[in-house]
Each structure stands twice: as structure tokens, then as C-alpha cells.
Amino acid sequence: MLSSSQLFAQAIKVIDNKSKNPVEHVAIYSFDHKTTALTSSDGLADIKGFTERDTLVFQHPSYQELSLTFSQLKSIGFHVALQEKLVPLDEVVISANKWEQKRSEVPNKIVTITAEQIEFENPQTSADM
């Protein structure tokens, strides 16, 4: 029983806070960057190189960065839920041309849809939009 608790303490599970699915490729590092780890496809990472004095930083391009002390990790059972990061887009252009063109050079009519219209309609796909 003692060996299983030691093994559990050396691994951490990172999941999406909404879907509860594992998150892969999360970079985990200490503030001094001396110790690092990366989550696998099942959201697990080996953290045996970290010490109880370390603060662990969890970083992924699609999620908000999170910092937790080792004692905080212990208290939550070494299960970390990351919150998705929303990336605002100024403009999205959907074109059916075979090549890229500037908006001013397109001979066809262009319809502009504002972010408020998209949010109000809540389309599921670009075709619905």
C-alpha cells in the first residue's frame, strides 16, 4: 500500500475542467525552470523530479496558465483541471476562391457579419453562418 501511494504522488493528471477529458501536451515546469514535465495523451505526467518546495506552472496554448504549489496539488489529489482560453478574433474571412486575395481586389460582393450578429445567431458551423 505504501508503494502505491508513492507512485500516485509521482504522477499528476491534467483534465479539461468542462469536458473532464485528459489534456495532452501540457508543459509543467517549476518557476526556476530546472524541472519540467509534459503530459501524455491520457493527461498524465511524471512529476517525481519536483520537490515539495516547488510551485508548478501548467501551460498549454489552448488553456489558461495555472500555478499551484506542491502542497495545493496534494490537497486536490494531484488532479488538475485547466480552464479553456478564449481567443478573440477580429475578423474571419471565408472564401471559395482557389487563391488568396485582398478584400479590396475581390470583384464579387462581400458581406460583412459582425461579432454581435454571429453571437446572436450562434451558428454551429461556418456554413450555418
Side-chain angles (χ1 to χ4, degrees):
M1 178 140 168
L2 180 60
S3 64
S4 67
S5 66
Q6 287 175 332
L7 286 174
F8 181 74
Q10 293 177 353
I12 193 163
K13 175 97 175 181
V14 181
I15 60 170
D16 181 287
N17 73 328
K18 286 185 181 176
S19 68
K20 306 302 183 208
N21 291 330
V23 181
E24 65 178 320
H25 305 300
V26 175
I28 304 169
Y29 58 91
S30 59
F31 272 128
D32 60 8
H33 294 276
K34 289 183 180 178
T35 311
T36 62
L38 191 66
T39 59
S40 62
S41 60
D42 55 359
L44 293 173
D46 184 6
I47 59 166
K48 65 182 173 190
F50 294 92
T51 68
E52 292 195 18
R53 296 183 308 272
D54 285 331
T55 297
L56 282 70
V57 180
F58 298 83
Q59 192 174 47
H60 189 280
S62 301
Y63 292 89
Q64 293 180 7
E65 188 174 293
L66 179 66
S67 299
L68 295 170
T69 64
F70 204 85
S71 59
Q72 288 173 319
L73 286 169
K74 262 188 195 178
S75 69
I76 58 174
F78 293 96
H79 282 78
V80 175
L82 295 182
Q83 191 169 21
E84 194 172 18
K85 181 184 349 178
L86 299 177
V87 179
L89 298 176
D90 292 333
E91 183 178 88
V92 176
V93 177
I94 301 172
S95 175
N97 292 338
K98 293 182 181 179
W99 57 88
E100 185 176 336
Q101 287 180 292
K102 291 183 182 177
R103 184 177 185 170
S104 60
E105 296 174 355
V106 176
N108 301 343
K109 181 180 177 182
I110 296 176
V111 177
T112 303
I113 304 170
T114 65
E116 290 80 20
Q117 289 173 310
I118 294 170
E119 191 173 331
F120 179 75
E121 295 293 329
N122 194 19
Q124 298 301 309
T125 66
S126 60
D128 290 344
M129 185 170 52

